[in-house]
Amino acid sequence: MAAGCGARRPRGPLLLLLLLLLLGRPATAAGGGPAPQSPGAGVRMFTPFHFLVEPEDTLSVRGSSVTLNCSAYSEPPPKIEWKKDGTFLNLVSDDRRQLLPDGSLFISNVVHSKHNKPDEGYYQCVATVESLGTIVSRTAKLTVAGLPRFTSQPEPSSVYAGNNAVLNCEVNADLAPFVRWEQNRQPLLLDDRVVKLPSGALVLSNVTEGDGGLYRCVIDSGGPPKYSDEAELKVLPEPEVPSDLVFLKQPSSLVKAVGQSVVLPCVASGLPAPVIRWVKNEETLDTDSSERLVLLAGGSLEISAVTENDAGTYSCVADSGNETIEAQAELTVQAHPEFLKRPASLYAHESMDIVFECEVTGKPAPTVKWVKNGDMVIPSDYFKIVKEHNLQVLGLVKSDEGFYQCIAENDVGNAQAGAQLIILEHAPATTGPLPSAPRDVVASLVSTRFIKLTWRTPASDPQGDSLTYSVFYTKEGTARERVENTSRPGEMQVTIQNLMPATVYIFRVTAQNKHGSGESSSPLRVETQPEVQLPGPAPNIRAYTTSPTSITVTWEKPVSGNGEIQNYKLYYMEKGTDKEQDVDVSSHSYTINGLKKYTEYTFRVVAYNKHGPGVSTQDVAIRTLSDVPSAAPQNLSLEVRNSKSILVHWQPPPPTTQNGVISGYKIRYRKASRKSDVTETLVAGTQLSQLIEGLDRGTEYNFRVAALTVNGTGPATDWLSAETFESDLDETRVPDVPSSLHVRPLVTSIVVSWTPPENQNIVVRGYAIGYGIGSPHAQTIKVDYKQRYYTIENLDPNSHYVITLKAFNHVGEGIPLYESAVTRPHTVPDPTPMMPPVGVQASILSHDTIRVTWADNSLPKHQKITDSRYYTIRWKTNIPANTKYKNANATTLSYLVTGLKPNTLYEFSVMVTKGRRSSTWSMTAHGTTFELVPTSPPKDVTVVSKEGKPRTIIVNWQPPSEANGKITGYIIYYSTDVNAEIHDWVIEPVVGNRLTHQIQELTLDTPYYFKIQARNSKGMGPMSEAVQFRTPKADSSDKMPNDQASGSAGKGSRLPDLGSDYKPPMSGSNSPHGSPTSPLDSNVLLVLIISVGVITIVAVVIIAVFCTRRTTSHQKKKRAACKSVNGSHKYKGNSKDVKPPDLWIHHERLELKPIAKSPDPNPIMTDTPIPRHSQDTTPVGTSSDGSTHQRRNSYRGHESEDSMSTLAGRRGMRPKMMMPFDSQPPQQSVRNTPSTDTMPASSSQTCCADHQDPEGATSSSYLASSQEEDSGQGLPTAHVRPSHPLKSFAVPAVPPPRPPTYDPALPSTPLLSQQALNHHLHAVKTASIGTLGRSRPPMPVIVPSAPEVQETTRMLEDSESSYEPDELTKEMAHLEGLMKDLNAITTA
């Protein structure tokens, strides 16, 4: 069988089975490493090596000879040596002690004196076989009887004939077996009447005249005998006067071992001669029929071959007929250690962990120590005692081989059992390739006491499905290496448990295939996390009762305080309840007052330091002191038995008022006629009735009863009276028939009255009234003999009832008397409402139970319900608000409401109903149930990566729906193995009711699983379902959060920056959905896009011509001026001479015109400059790359076309606009935000940018929000807030220049529609500035003038490398003319 650290060996079961078949005995191994080989050719078998005989405890006397037996079996025969008191004896030069051939030790002429005791002590036999090991025997005690000495000697005494006598002669226990007695200097023969007790005393029972004489005791221990003083025993004639009963010898408490015999002495003297009987645990022992129990002379009890069942309290009761005396003694029975499970021999490999199992029993419980090859095993980091008595050896080395023995010892004796450990050599590898070293060994989880390792398959076997792995690890600075194995082939992770906090460990991993173990990985050095330094438990917690209502608790400072102790919290709870209370304490003791009397409480203490609460102490239980009862006995009743006796009955006080164990009751009674003397009678606590006799005839007596505890007498009941009979009446027959019976019917009741039987000489104990509709046997009521009338209630109106009356006594019921009556019809008016109950109170008992109590003012003062009224209780909670009331009925003044929700406020009200009358609802009482542990897990657990920190994640959640109390914190569990045991998961505590938490330093590109558990003041709730999250691959600062990334393989990553060598693919361009587009589909799509573009251009030209006709001559001059400026401008000319057009002056006035006055129903189509020919925008360079870009950009424009109309009506919006410049990378992901449907980001770098599309303005807000969220991404943008869709002449400020990372392939700003965000990043395409979301090729736009020269120069310089100056000039001249026309229209 395998046990221990839990690692499983791949071939272990088969090999161990073979090992068991060969050896026929079990083996226990634990830990890791390949399974031990079965012993076969070249493997050593276990060697039989054990003791045949072991030394026993021996008692000897001075000068005698002693043999301590010992014999061991082994092949070859072992060498035997002896130890005395732990030190080897040198027997070669010892002439008194010698080793016998079988290994026994012989001691001749034992030496013993007051100052020299060389032979007395503890002996142990040691057997050794060279090259095999050493075993030791049990330890035997050699006791040498001391010098003969008397501690007490016999004294002269006299005894009456027929009585008992005891002559003392006490010596020490070692010499007691050597004591004998002489009478008149002749040996005294012992018999049934004369016995010697184990102490040496002599007992003579039923003394006769022949027992008189001189007595002395003799110690005969081998040397010259030693005599005591002589004492004369005189026998006196039996007197006529009785003498007092006294004990001559009383029993004393004894401790004996199982199997020994014991004598409990008990001798009593008195006249008449007493009779002795024995009682054990309040049961009288039957010594006549028992074989093991014998009553010796005088009354002493002898028990032979005692067992554990014989332990207990024995009482010797001496009874002379006139008097009884009693003496008690406790017998304690101990048992030798015995093995329930012996250690089993084991095979193991180096680096493995093993466990030797050892189970022992005994009384008192034995202590266990382990010995290896005769030397004590001292517990350490690698030799540990586990599960009380088992020995665990971690990280085996060759020197651990040998014999291990489990030695159990208690006060009675000791025993040993051993097993052999053989360290096997690893089997040589078979011919064939061995795996190389596992790759990328990392610690994916590092906790305080465990580390989880993961790795990749060796390069030699990339699949690795059939490989198993061994993880070797050692604490830094130690030589012992331990091993842990994977549990199944192909598994590439192992969790190493039971590590020490803040400790460095070295790990290496090897792979095994069918040929053997391969190369080892390079060592990995990992340090476990430090443990939170919380205080340990406070030692020596003690509780003392100081009064019936207070307890003092003391404790000491924790040994491991781990810093300054700030305070302590003392928890206490009444035993049997679940409500624990606490109090803060700054010292090391505290007295709790106001406790219940004679009630058991439990206490525990928790120390606090700056880190929080430490480890709680164990509960200590104690009961408050008892006190006098605080209430009187209940239900006192009197029964007159005859003319001279009255029987008193009662019940104990309520349990909560007894305040201790009721030891008895005190009955007081007196005559009622006058204030006579009070007589008291005491009865036992278990008795609940007492017959008071000797009373006077025909006399009334008053009785009262009080309860007693050891503390005194409690309050008494009220006086209750009863009168004795005038004469002793006859109760040998039943009473006669009552002399008369009268009935008076009412509506719902009948009043019955009667007179007693005429014959007054027969005892009447009471009357039985039977009644029913048509038959008197439906119900029966019994009343007292004194009663002469009774009202039968709750009857039906207008009904015929038959009534019977019978007198009864102890003999039986007499002859009945019959009567009938018809109840009156019900003619009463509608009942008036009853008064509602008052004083409604709600007492909280638990998390789901509340007791509701109330009072009823319509009842008498004693609040006893004698009619048929009942109460209705209703309750509800206000959460949720529409909760309905629940109802219940009760016939008492309280009700237990169960099935409530924990930590919930309920309101209660009560109404009373009697017949047809009901009250209104009472005033409400409120109560909040106690808290309970949460019964549901936290909800909506989500995990996201922290922006810019891929090794940090954020866990969010919602509180549990069934919190059952105030949430005081959460515990986050996370692991890389969802199937791991929960104690293998890493724990992250969250204090308070926060609903988010960061976890740092996770391993990249690793799936983690997260669970959350809520806690409140009552404990931990259930865990949530595991949520999986994979950390990103690359550790770079430009990652997007995981939940914002597109669905690519590398979650959270952007597209890489493309260098100047980047060229888009020539063909196979992906569709917006990421699927390849065929050439035919591309051509059709291209034709459609160009057609839409041409139609749009024609429409704009027509509108422009219409606008041109309305221009004034002044506007024509302004247009010419603008054209001349534009025509003379060159990209690399001196831009400082450029002047802004007149339009710059009027831009503030333009803002005043509301955009709603535009006559065009779709102004977005006219606000955008459109080129006439697509070839006008062809970039420099005639390679096919450019055409490919055109086609891809056209696809993007077509993709965004549907979204244009949704933005057409938003021209009045004024969002923040963010305009990326050409220092940006050509492909830039735009964050998906929920604000709109489309996200084309357009930024025009032209002087006529007042035609800025609102669509572009809208998208810039998304870019702005994206930048605010991703500040680390550093988008170089400029912000401008145009107050009007046309007011965009203010060229945004350019951010400080930084060196470009590449030369853009196209002079375009990347645009991304939202749709593309739903697909893989490699499918994202770019669009030029000029497209603005329409189906047309990219168009270059130049800036003819600007208010700030540096900005304009920058734009022109950045654009010059990609555009032909003549084409741009011509295009801009045309555009500027259109803009002037629009300006004139707006001004007009």
Side-chain angles (χ1 to χ4, degrees), residues 1256-1277:
T1258 306
S1259 69
S1260 66
S1261 68
Y1262 306 142
L1263 291 169
S1265 65
S1266 175
Q1267 187 197 35
E1268 289 165 4
E1269 291 176 24
D1270 284 351
S1271 59
Q1273 298 173 9
L1275 287 171
T1277 60

Side-chain angles (χ1 to χ4, degrees), residues 1010-1024:
F1010 297 83
K1011 296 183 181 180
I1012 304 185
Q1013 188 179 29
R1015 73 168 183 264
N1016 58 18
S1017 62
K1018 287 295 179 182
M1020 310 300 302
M1023 292 186 190
S1024 66

Side-chain angles (χ1 to χ4, degrees), residues 915-965:
R916 296 178 56 201
R917 301 172 61 202
S918 295
S919 73
T920 58
W921 289 104
S922 69
M923 297 184 68
T924 58
H926 294 82
T928 302
T929 51
F930 293 148
E931 293 188 0
L932 183 67
V933 296
T935 51
S936 70
K939 303 182 299 184
D940 302 335
V941 181
T942 59
V943 185
V944 297
S945 178
K946 186 170 183 184
E947 185 179 323
K949 295 185 178 180
R951 294 168 67 88
T952 300
I953 61 97
I954 301 173
V955 186
N956 303 300
W957 63 91
Q958 291 300 315
S961 55
E962 296 172 7
N964 298 340

Side-chain angles (χ1 to χ4, degrees), residues 598 626-629 650 652-653 658-666 681-688 706-714:
Y598 198 68
S626 60
D627 199 359
V628 296
W650 64 90
Q658 293 180 9
N659 302 337
V661 177
I662 300 297
S663 59
Y665 294 93
K666 184 181 291 185
T681 299
L682 292 177
V683 297
T686 56
Q687 195 171 325
L688 297 177
L708 285 78
T709 63
V710 293
N711 304 85
T713 306

